Every structure is written in structure tokens, then in C-alpha cells.
Amino acid sequence: MAGTVVIGAGQAASQLVATLRAEGYADPIAVIGDEPYPPYQRPPLSKKFLAGELTEDRLYIKPPEFYEQAGAMLKLGVSAVAVDRAAKTVTLSDGAALGYDSLVFATGSRVRKLTVPGSDLPGIHYLRGIDDVKAIQPHFHAGKRMVVVGGGYIGLETAAVAAKRGLAVTVVEAMERCLQRVTSPLMSAFFQTLHRAEGVVIQTETGVTGFEASPGGGLVVKTTKGEIACDFVVAGIGILPGQELAAACGIVCDNGIVVDEFARTSDPNVYAAGDCANLPSKLMGRRLRLESVHNAIEQAKTAALSIAGKPKAYDDVPWFWSDQYDIKLQIAGLSAPGDTVVVRGDPASRKFAAFYLRDGVVAAVDAVNAAPEYMIGRMMIAQKKAVDPGRLADPATPMKSLMG
Amino acid sequence: MPKVTFIEHSGKEHVVDAAAGLSVMEAAVKNLVPGIDADCGGACACATCHVYVDPAFGAKIPEKSDMEQTMLDFANEVTADSRLSCQIKITPELDGLVVRLPASQH
């Protein structure tokens, strides 16, 4: 038996190995990763790992012995360069070819790169992998001037760690407000106020037009609203699904590798899981691509169950989290412009939640230091629960009683 | 190095060396103890690392945060000894710690 080949060695790949073996799958498993590291957690990269509070080995999802004991071959530091679906083989960058019965794309995503003039100057960084953080860390000292391009979660988490470290931080955001693509004006205002209170400069509606090397060292960031001198730049302007190889071998892709609820692609022997996959969500009422640990884990379990001959449909409420300063933001569901926003608690108290109602039911929740709101909100989304907005907004009404 | 004993729901014991500073969850994952998934990696966001702490050690562990308490409110088979193992930091005083795993995590 040729077994299962997993392209990609991240959160989904690690879970695939665990679930395949737990389900009694006995054929060979090979995991191909282009980074030199065993599967590791990415969320801490822009949080505790950047802050230096976590050593590299603590990022590893499982110790290397786990893969040995599971009889899974980790091929690290090589990339898959071609897939021949007729011959069922994957060709690697080192020239080797691996045969498969089942193939899984767990290729994740890659950062969207800046394209303005000067974007390839030294000192312009991204934050997606361990090596990215290692490249940033030598510059990451009190007194240094950092410009963050992009006020999304990665940019704001990076800004938070830097501000705590004593760097002078400027966040440049092209849109009207930070987090505009992912949350409501209320939450954007909360996070902008939070960062400004910590000394971070936030410039919204500011487009980056180019970079220049400063004669005295460092960089000049040119924007639509003037120039900003700094020592280095971290850009967090989104990610793109890792679909090139799948598309090149004729698998249907459309904002990600298109899969069904069983993680199957357009080829019955090929699966996809995690950031790279575009999945159907009955709960959310549309197709979507999710960039989250939870989705990587659950979709990997789904793919593994399909491969092991025990298919089980996947349709979960998406959830996410972000840590900035002493704030833990927990998010369930996907909010959209036009949702009715119901606020519970006072944002000034740093403990509150924003619920997003669509057609009278809870579609999403953003909870700030408010775990009950998050947990019950997640259940409400799953159950498409109709709620009384007045009672929901009243912190004196216990969350649990709203489920009754 | 402090020792921690994990007892699976089946009764199977795993005695592991756990470096001070790591969490009990990390000690389990590093030593391939089954039943502690820790999906969120220790961010106190998923409640898949639920354990029962031996009552003899309960008083030696700092109290639960509001976040941990709430996550536990929604976990299965919760008792007075329930904790999220990602929130328990290993210290020399916890040498000999015994934790049991719930039936739902196997």
C-alpha cells in the first residue's frame, strides 16, 4: 500500500497523523514540510514567541517522537513540486517521488506581499513562520522604531508585544479603521483606543506608497499622508491560500481548494484541510475559507475519517482568539456588515461582548475578557437561537438563562 | 525534575518528568500522554485539557481565573477537582502531583 501523503506540515498535518492512527489506519503516512521544523503552533508567533516568553520547542504541537511512534515519516525542508494524479505520485524538490493512495493538501497559506516600490528592501518583514520571528527579534528592542503595515489581528498583536517591550510603534492602515474586514466599528474603536492608550500611533486611511533606505540607516515609509522614519517594518496585510500546486494538477480551486463537507476535493483520492481549503458551511449559509487553528484541526479530523473509511460531515461554528495586552478576545461565528450589533457590558470596563444578530438569531459574537458570553454565544450560533436583544444586552440577565 | 502522574480513565498510569515552568498540559503532550488534546495550545480557549487534580494537591495550585472557571462551566463531567491543565504551571512544590483524566477525553 502506498498510503497517505500529506503536503504541508502544520496544525492540520499533525492532526491528520493523530486521527488516522487513532482510527486504526495502518498504511504508511508521509508528511512533507518545506520548513525545517516539525508541525508547530502559529498563533503564539505574534504573541508569546515574539515576546520571548516561549522557547521554540514549546511551539511544537507534538514532540518528534510522536511521529516516530505513529510510523509517520516527516520529510522536512523539502517541498512538493508536482502531483501526477493519474500515476498517484508526488514529486519533491529533492527529486524523490512518493506514491499515494490518498493525498491531502494541508498547505496552509502564505503571506500576501507588499508590491509598492522598495518592498524588497532589507528591514521589511512579515510574520508567518518561526524564521520570520527569528529575523525580527534582533531588531526587537526598546527604543527601536517599528512601523506595522496593516491593522489586522497579526499587525495589532505584533504592535501590542512591541509596545510592551518599549518600541515606538506606528500602525498604518489603509482602510477607515483597524480590523475593518473582520469586525464592527465598535470593536475597532475599542482596540484603537486600547493601543493608543499604550502609546501606539495608529494612522488609518493611510496607504503605503513605497519604502526607501534612510542614509543614516533604517527605512523611510512613504504614505499617502507623509513619510514615517523607522528602523524596521512588519507587514501583516493578509494571507493567500496555498492552492498553486493543487490548481496546477487540475484540482478545482476558487479562493482555496474546493472541498465538500467530507474534506474531499474534485478528485476522490485527494483531500484538503485547513487554511488552504474552501468549504461549504451550512451553519454560515455559504462557502468560506477559514484561517484558524480550530478549522485546521477539525477539517483534518474530517479528512482522516474519510480516508479511514468512516466519513463524517464537518459543519462547526468557526472560532478564533486574539491576545493583546491584558485583553483576551474570543470570537465565534462570522459577523457581517448589516448585522444588528447588541452590546452587553461597558467597553470602558474592558469586559464586554458584541453580539451580531441576523434575522433575529445570533450569527457571531466578539467577547472581550468575557468567557460566558463567548461560550454561550457559540452555542446560540450553532442552535440558530432567536434571542430577545433587550435581555441579551442586560448584564444582569445571566447568559445561561438566555439559553433556556 | 518534578514528577507528575497522569491516570487515564482506564486506570493506565503515566509517570513523567515535568520541567518547572511548563504547564501540566505541556508535560502531558511532550510525554505522549493520550487524552489531553489541548487544541488551542494553552490559550485557555478550548477546554480539551480538562483534568481532575488529586485533592492533596489542590491547595498547592493557584486558584482558577474567571476565564478558566467559565471554560470549565461548559466542559463535561466537571467536579470540584476539575482544572484545565494548561493553566497549572509546574513548580517544585508540585513534585508527585497526580491528575486523572475524564472519561470523555480518551
Side-chain angles (χ1 to χ4, degrees), chain B residues 30-93:
Chain B
K30 264 187 183 305
N31 290 283
L32 305 177
V33 176
I36 295 195
D37 286 347
D39 285 354
C40 76
C44 197
C46 71
T48 58
C49 67
H50 177 198
V51 297
Y52 305 115
V53 173
D54 189 288
F57 288 87
K60 294 184 183 174
I61 299 173
E63 289 195 7
K64 295 185 262 270
S65 66
D66 287 350
M67 188 69 69
E68 182 184 351
Q69 183 57 57
T70 306
M71 297 308 288
L72 279 170
D73 284 345
F74 297 97
N76 296 320
E77 309 157 274
V78 174
T79 74
D81 300 325
S82 290
R83 295 294 303 254
L84 295 182
S85 57
C86 72
Q87 299 299 304
I88 305 173
K89 202 178 229 183
I90 292 161
T91 58
E93 296 75 53

Side-chain angles (χ1 to χ4, degrees), chain A residues 41 57-58 61 63 328 372 379, chain B residues 22 26 29-30 41 43 70 74:
Chain A
Q41 309 170 57
D57 62 309
R58 290 177 74 182
I61 296 164
K328 179 176 282 292
M379 292 181 203
Chain B
L22 292 189
E26 287 179 289
V29 170
K30 264 187 183 305
T70 306
F74 297 97

Side-chain angles (χ1 to χ4, degrees), chain A residues 7-283:
Chain A
I7 304 179
Q11 192 89 45
S14 177
Q15 188 64 49
L16 271 154
V17 173
T19 304
L20 280 171
R21 291 304 185 226
E23 294 298 331
Y25 183 82
D27 294 342
I29 303 174
V31 175
I32 302 159
D34 51 10
E35 292 179 80
Y37 311 104
Y40 62 89
Q41 309 170 57
R42 291 190 194 277
L45 294 179
S46 51
K47 307 178 183 86
K48 284 186 172 174
F49 187 62
L50 178 61
E53 293 168 20
L54 216 54
T55 51
E56 186 180 304
D57 62 309
R58 290 177 74 182
L59 294 175
Y60 299 161
I61 296 164
K62 305 271 189 191
E65 304 87 88
F66 164 79
Y67 305 95
E68 279 167 39
Q69 285 189 17
M73 177 174 58
L74 286 186
K75 289 186 76 76
L76 303 176
V78 293
S79 48
V81 294
V83 173
D84 182 336
R85 292 194 290 125
K88 290 192 183 177
T89 56
V90 179
T91 306
L92 307 184
S93 54
D94 63 5
L98 293 174
Y100 67 81
D101 300 310
S102 300
L103 175 67
V104 186
F105 283 97
T107 37
S109 48
R110 59 190 165 77
V111 293
R112 187 189 293 276
K113 296 256 173 118
L114 293 159
T115 54
V116 294
S119 292
D120 48 6
L121 283 171
I124 298 174
H125 299 267
Y126 298 88
L127 208 164
R128 180 72 191 154
I130 288 178
D131 289 342
D132 293 332
V133 179
K134 285 181 177 172
I136 293 169
Q137 270 165 342
H139 313 285
F140 209 73
H141 300 298
K144 291 277 188 182
R145 299 159 302 166
M146 177 179 80
V147 169
V148 174
V149 179
Y153 285 119
I154 293 288
L156 292 185
E157 288 177 359
T158 304
V161 176
K164 267 170 80 180
R165 178 68 61 85
L167 282 81
V169 184
T170 303
V171 176
V172 179
E173 166 58 50
M175 295 211 244
E176 213 171 287
R177 54 186 171 89
C178 290
L179 304 172
Q180 181 158 335
R181 200 174 54 85
V182 289
T183 194
S184 58
L186 170 100
M187 295 302 295
S188 294
F190 173 78
F191 279 100
Q192 288 180 181
T193 303
L194 174 73
H195 279 272
R196 284 174 173 147
E198 299 283 347
V200 173
V201 175
I202 297 181
Q203 296 192 3
T204 55
E205 294 180 89
T206 305
V208 172
T209 54
F211 301 94
E212 275 175 13
S214 237
L219 290 164
V220 174
V221 183
K222 300 168 91 174
T223 78
T224 50
K225 291 189 177 170
E227 297 186 347
I228 309 165
C230 68
D231 296 301
F232 68 103
V233 169
V234 177
I237 54 169
I239 55 180
L240 301 166
Q243 65 184 40
E244 293 78 5
L245 192 58
C249 69
I251 302 271
V252 175
C253 295
D254 180 10
N255 179 30
I257 303 167
V258 174
V259 297
D260 65 9
E261 63 272 40
F262 301 102
R264 295 179 300 210
T265 69
S266 54
D267 178 328
N269 302 308
V270 181
Y271 304 80
D275 286 15
C276 66
N278 183 303
L279 65 139
S281 170
K282 271 189 206 151
L283 267 173

